[in-house]
Amino acid sequence: MRCSGPHTVTYVVVSGDDRAARFGFIVSKKVGTAVVRNRVRRRLKAICASALPTMVRGADVVVRVLPGGADASFADLDAEVKRCLARRAS
């Protein structure tokens, strides 16, 4: 399933596997310099770590950051990603 917002596109696939949810992040060079990309990735890792207890076991989640994601605040990213995760993987 795909869910998008102004800063990210989140893909969620739930398999029948009995394992913890897995997360992957795609932050291309169009987002910004290496410093900016790593800052966005660190924010997403914190957001997904806090959402992990609510995730369905066996979920595979990929979050792709759009170029506007570099200017997004932590709160904006948090709300957007958690909204998408709540739609499918909780």
Side-chain angles (χ1 to χ4, degrees):
M1 182 202 152
R2 177 181 161 209
C3 175
S4 61
H7 307 297
T8 64
V9 178
T10 304
Y11 302 92
V12 179
V13 176
V14 179
S15 66
D17 298 342
D18 186 30
R19 58 167 171 73
R22 299 184 295 189
F23 295 91
F25 307 103
I26 301 171
V27 187
S28 75
K29 289 185 178 182
K30 290 183 180 183
V31 173
T33 64
V35 173
V36 172
R37 293 191 311 267
N38 285 326
R39 183 180 64 232
V40 172
R41 184 185 51 81
R42 284 192 307 271
R43 287 178 176 179
L44 289 174
K45 283 177 71 173
I47 291 165
C48 291
S50 69
L52 185 60
T54 65
M55 297 294 296
V56 169
R57 293 190 59 77
D60 291 324
V61 180
V62 175
V63 180
R64 182 170 57 99
V65 179
L66 301 174
D71 300 327
S73 68
F74 182 87
D76 290 342
L77 287 174
D78 185 51
E80 189 172 322
V81 171
K82 286 187 177 174
R83 177 185 58 84
C84 289
L85 293 178
R87 286 184 59 195
R88 175 68 166 116
S90 21

